[in-house]
Structures are given as structure tokens and as C-alpha cells.
Amino acid sequence: MTDTLAEKYTVDEYIERIIAFHGTLAPGLLIGGYMVDHALCNRPGGEFFDALCETSVCLPDAVQLLTPCTFGNGWLKICDVGRFALTFFEKYSGEGVRVHLDAAGLDAYPEIQNWFLRLKPKHDQDMERLIREIRTAKAGILGMKRVRVHERFVGKEKGGRIVLCPSCGEAYPERDGPRCRACGGTALYI
Amino acid sequence: MTDTLAEKYTVDEYIERIIAFHGTLAPGLLIGGYMVDHALCNRPGGEFFDALCETSVCLPDAVQLLTPCTFGNGWLKICDVGRFALTFFEKYSGEGVRVHLDAAGLDAYPEIQNWFLRLKPKHDQDMERLIREIRTAKAGILGMKRVRVHERFVGKEKGGRIVLCPSCGEAYPERDGPRCRACGGTALYI
């Protein structure tokens, strides 16, 4: 743990970036900053790494703000299983480090516990105290372990041919079948 | 179409932001900037809007750079059906405007056509000409229509209770069942 998060921003600067990008100072995004930092400090060697987020709530934005991995460049992958955890892994071997917010280790931080386990309605939570507790706790509320991600997250899907859908006329990847997935049954519009 | 994209950046400023956030000047992200701008100028009224991207490649980053919608704050939704299209919709009614890159309208822009339909290998594409064509074409290569998004994209999932998974011990949303989805069969690690 350094004075900056991910060797990029001080905590105050990161909070400014959170508000500019995400809209509000979401507690999960501040904790996410410490999670990204902790995972980066402990990740295996190798020049290139990808990120895997186990939730779509808040945490992906911490990765996008603090690392080169974004949703649109494909280096940030989401598999939303509802756990507040992220993994950085070497993009060819899949070997990496997983960091999660440890629900069992929050006794010393009652306001983080209230927020994370939703023990109090939102309007009864003390936001100032919550932020203070997060800044005090730093990586002390996180669990970490070495992992190897499932092969479906490793490597990159080949581009393949682009063709026009006979139903909608729009371009789509030929590997999806004889028509695009939207025309093939994935409901988007009514 | 104004001189700035989404009333936020000039095209040159936006290109700088693309490189800083996404890592490279991806042509799809530059086209995405014109798509976001075109959709914003034509979106229905209403204070709050959400975004729906029909691809996970490049386009989500244009939305994240130019609007308040990010993946982590939940206002950007992805349904990857492989079409280069985005929709901005009023978050309660689902009414919106959909903009797509019109593959059939690219005859005047051969380098965009080569890139979008992958008619040439990447190393044979003329990147400078491609960028120049995109800046010339602006919204002229886009299709637009009014839509109403499927109800599953409208409104927000209720929070609900958070419980600890009896298998992994981590916190997860109770609505997912008796154990978290990772322990319930979604393979993340090997």
C-alpha cells in the first residue's frame, strides 16, 4: 500500500475522479480503489494483465479509473455473480490475484458493515463516518488469494468475418449464426 | 451536430480523452463519439436517461467518456448482440432513440467500409485516411430511429437483503438463492 492508489492518484484526487466519472462518491468505489491498489501490488509478473470483476455494481468503475482496463477495450471482463471481488490476471496464463471485501472482518468498522451488509436503511447510514472508516481501514478489510481464472476469460476471441443480417440489414459477426442475435431472439425493444 | 461532441469536447479533445482512457485511438470509439452526440441531440425529453449498447466492443467507452452513464453506476447497460448500435432512453418509460452505424451507407467512405466490414486485414488499412473519413462523415453514416426498450432494461433492480454464502463465506444478494452464483455453478476459476 503506497500513499497513492495504483501509483496514480492520492486518495483525495481519486475521490475527485470518482465524482467526475461515476457521478457520486459511492463508498463501494472508494473501497474499490483500495482493492485495485492491493491487487496491483500483489499481482503476478508479466507485462499484460486483464481484470475480472465479480459484480457490475461500482467496482468496474474503480478498475476503469485506476488501470488501463476498460469495458470497451476488452481488458475488463465482468462476470456478475454478486460478490464484491476483483481479479487481475496475466492475460495468457490466467494466473492472478483475487481481492475481495471480507464481510467477516468488519467488526472494527461498524459503518462499513452497516453499508456492505445493508443492516441499516440508506438514510440512517452516516456517510461521513463511512468514508472515514474506509480511509482508515485501507486494505485491512480485504481478503486476497492466488487464483487461475477459467479459460473462457483467457485470450481473445478471434475477430472473424462481419456479414449483413438478412433480417435487419445491420452488420454482425458471422460466428453468431445465420442472423444477428437481436433478430435471432434476444429481445431488445418492444 | 454541434462543433463539440455531446457539448463536452472538441473532436481533438475527445481524441485525447480516447487515448488516455481506452489506450489507443480506436476508430470505433471515434465513430462512437458522433453516435453519442447524434443520439443525445435527438433523444426524447425527460431529465434522466440510461444508455443501452448492443456491443461490448469500443462503443461502451464512448458512452462512458461523453455522458454521465458508466458501467459501474448502472446507467450504461450492455446487451451484446454484436451490432454497432446504442440507444439512449428515458429511464422510466423506456422510450428512446437508437443510433447505429449504417453498413449499407458507406460507399462514399471506402476506408470506413474496409474497417467496419473487415474487408482488408488490419495492417493493410490506412489509419490516417480512416480517421479523416470519420471526421468528414460525422453523422452522415449513421441510421437513427425511435424505439422503446424492453422492460427488462427499464427501472432498477431492488437492492434486497445481503447474506453470507454458506459455501465461500462471502456476501451476496439473497435473491440469487441459497448460495452465491459462483458457488452455485458459474465457473470463474480453475
Side-chain angles (χ1 to χ4, degrees):
Chain A
M1 183 67 55
T2 55
D3 283 345
T4 55
L5 292 174
E7 296 182 355
K8 196 161 177 172
Y9 301 119
T10 65
V11 175
D12 286 334
E13 286 166 350
Y14 176 56
I15 287 175
E16 279 174 33
R17 298 296 307 140
I18 289 175
I19 294 167
F21 185 66
H22 188 82
T24 57
L25 174 47
L29 206 33
L30 185 54
I31 294 174
Y34 291 104
M35 291 171 70
V36 167
D37 187 75
H38 197 50
L40 283 178
C41 290
N42 291 282
R43 79 188 162 87
E47 199 181 348
F48 298 108
F49 68 92
D50 280 359
L52 172 64
C53 261
E54 295 186 28
T55 175
S56 56
V57 180
C58 290
L59 205 47
D61 283 357
V63 175
Q64 296 190 112
L65 281 172
L66 292 171
T67 78
C69 307
T70 73
F71 192 84
N73 72 17
W75 300 341
L76 165 62
K77 294 153 209 290
I78 313 284
C79 183
D80 190 347
V81 294
R83 299 194 302 194
F84 208 75
L86 58 80
T87 293
F88 291 135
F89 61 96
E90 205 282 318
K91 70 181 293 164
Y92 300 110
S93 68
E95 282 181 35
V97 60
R98 177 184 187 270
V99 169
H100 76 285
L101 175 53
D102 182 12
L106 295 178
D107 287 344
Y109 304 100
E111 209 56 36
I112 301 178
Q113 200 169 44
N114 285 334
W115 164 81
F116 187 48
L117 301 178
R118 296 193 191 138
L119 303 180
K120 272 187 187 177
K122 207 165 182 178
H123 60 265
D124 288 341
Q125 292 172 16
D126 183 339
M127 185 67 176
E128 266 184 47
R129 181 167 174 188
L130 174 53
I131 298 301
R132 207 163 52 236
E133 284 187 5
I134 295 169
R135 295 184 72 148
T136 303
K138 297 188 174 75
I141 51 177
L142 309 179
M144 189 176 73
K145 68 173 176 182
R146 304 268 153 207
V147 292
R148 182 188 288 248
V149 300
H150 192 275
E151 59 197 21
R152 68 198 163 106
F153 302 113
V154 177
K156 205 173 174 177
E157 257 184 6
K158 278 280 180 190
R161 283 188 68 207
I162 298 293
V163 292
L164 298 191
C165 174
S167 300
C168 67
E170 294 187 30
Y172 78 101
E174 189 180 38
R175 64 167 176 265
D176 285 353
R179 52 180 69 194
C180 82
R181 275 183 275 167
C183 294
T186 303
L188 287 164
Y189 305 103
I190 49 179
Chain B
M1 180 69 55
T2 54
D3 284 346
T4 55
L5 292 174
E7 296 182 355
K8 196 163 176 172
Y9 302 119
T10 65
V11 176
D12 286 334
E13 287 166 349
Y14 176 56
I15 287 175
E16 279 174 32
R17 298 296 307 139
I18 290 176
I19 294 167
F21 185 66
H22 188 82
T24 57
L25 174 47
L29 207 31
L30 184 55
I31 294 174
Y34 291 104
M35 291 171 70
V36 167
D37 187 74
H38 197 49
L40 283 178
C41 291
N42 292 283
R43 78 188 162 88
E47 199 181 349
F48 298 109
F49 67 93
D50 280 0
L52 173 64
C53 260
E54 296 186 27
T55 175
S56 56
V57 180
C58 289
L59 205 46
D61 284 357
V63 175
Q64 296 190 111
L65 282 172
L66 292 171
T67 79
C69 306
T70 73
F71 192 84
N73 72 18
W75 300 340
L76 166 61
K77 294 154 209 291
I78 313 285
C79 183
D80 190 348
V81 294
R83 298 194 301 194
F84 208 74
L86 58 80
T87 293
F88 292 135
F89 61 96
E90 206 283 318
K91 69 181 292 165
Y92 300 109
S93 69
E95 282 181 35
V97 60
R98 176 183 187 270
V99 169
H100 76 285
L101 176 53
D102 183 12
L106 294 178
D107 288 344
Y109 303 101
E111 208 57 35
I112 301 179
Q113 200 170 42
N114 284 334
W115 164 80
F116 187 49
L117 301 177
R118 296 193 191 140
L119 303 180
K120 273 186 186 177
K122 206 166 182 175
H123 60 265
D124 288 341
Q125 292 173 16
D126 183 339
M127 185 69 175
E128 267 184 47
R129 182 169 173 186
L130 174 53
I131 298 300
R132 207 162 53 235
E133 284 187 4
I134 295 170
R135 296 184 71 147
T136 303
K138 297 188 175 76
I141 51 175
L142 309 178
M144 189 177 73
K145 68 174 176 181
R146 305 267 154 208
V147 292
R148 182 187 288 249
V149 300
H150 192 275
E151 58 197 20
R152 68 198 164 105
F153 302 114
V154 178
K156 206 174 173 176
E157 259 183 7
K158 279 279 180 190
R161 282 187 67 208
I162 298 294
V163 292
L164 299 190
C165 174
S167 300
C168 66
E170 294 188 30
Y172 78 101
E174 189 180 39
R175 65 168 177 265
D176 286 353
R179 52 180 70 193
C180 82
R181 275 183 276 166
C183 294
T186 303
L188 287 164
Y189 306 102
I190 49 180

